[in-house]
Amino acid sequence: MGQVMIAYNNDSRTVLHDFLESCADEAKQICADNDIDYSSVCPLDLNEQSVVGVMPDHHLCFIAAHGDVDGIYNENDEAIVSIRTTNYNFKDKGLYSVACLCAHNLYPHLKLLGLRFFVGYNDTFNVRGEREPFVNSALAGLKSFLSGESADVAKEKMLTTYDEQIVALDATDPMAAIELVHNKEALVFDGEGTLVFSDLQ
């Protein structure tokens, strides 16, 4: 079974660096729980070459970092992957991102190059208050997909997790629940319905 690349920005100067690192830690744990090999990269080595450049040796890329409509960036605001990076290595691969806005232009660009599986957001990804509900929701699809379930099942489980976390937060922190609703509504989860992790090359 192919490796997962886990890339994240935990630079102490970065807004929400602790949240981004928590997402990466959860991704590593999901891989370990499913006996899936992974590589990880973070600052000072977080760049295009260390992520896009090594994708021939990986099946899925997980990125937790800041983004915009055109790409996802490192601690120096340099593109890790964007519409301006060389992205042919994503053909027949997957990209699972916890990053703002990258479903707008980056995802269609990668899909044209043959990306088979994508999770990301078409609006800002907001975090407020306790981190755990936001990590659990954002990583639920990865947890399902890497366990061998299909893209369709993973998407449904992710949406269900969002709903459960929203209900739980609404009782304790309604403003945080509103942000979680926003993230759910911005979610873009795309991949052929029966696709499973082992189908990626």
Side-chain angles (χ1 to χ4, degrees), residues 52-193:
V52 180
V54 302
M55 280 311 294
D57 300 321
H58 298 80
H59 290 186
L60 177 71
C61 180
F62 172 87
I63 303 180
H66 291 292
D68 64 19
V69 294
D70 291 334
I72 304 171
Y73 304 90
N74 68 12
E75 73 280 11
N76 298 315
D77 293 324
E78 300 162 340
I80 304 167
V81 56
S82 80
I83 60 170
R84 290 173 289 276
T85 52
T86 303
N87 299 316
Y88 297 103
N89 288 348
F90 276 105
K91 180 177 170 60
D92 293 324
K93 311 291 184 178
L95 175 62
Y96 194 112
S97 61
V98 183
C100 295
L101 295 161
C102 61
H104 271 283
N105 297 336
L106 178 61
Y107 171 49
H109 167 76
L110 294 176
K111 190 172 184 178
L112 283 174
L113 296 177
L115 187 78
R116 295 187 66 196
F117 178 77
F118 175 84
V119 176
Y121 297 84
N122 62 20
D123 204 339
T124 55
F125 184 95
N126 298 341
V127 180
R128 179 190 176 106
E130 185 185 354
R131 302 291 196 246
E132 188 175 357
F134 291 86
V135 174
N136 290 344
S137 300
L139 275 290
L142 187 71
K143 185 174 184 179
S144 174
F145 193 62
L146 292 188
S147 75
E149 293 177 326
S150 70
D152 273 353
V153 171
K155 180 179 181 179
E156 287 307 310
K157 287 196 172 181
M158 190 170 187
L159 293 172
T160 297
T161 300
Y162 261 110
D163 288 339
E164 291 170 349
Q165 298 292 318
I166 289 164
V167 169
L169 263 186
D170 197 42
T172 59
D173 189 347
M175 296 304 293
I178 289 170
E179 301 293 8
L180 208 54
V181 169
H182 167 88
N183 294 347
K184 179 192 173 189
E185 291 176 346
L187 176 66
V188 175
F189 194 120
D190 196 16
E192 182 183 340

Side-chain angles (χ1 to χ4, degrees), residues 13 29 36 114:
R13 300 166 299 169
Q29 188 60 54
I36 294 171

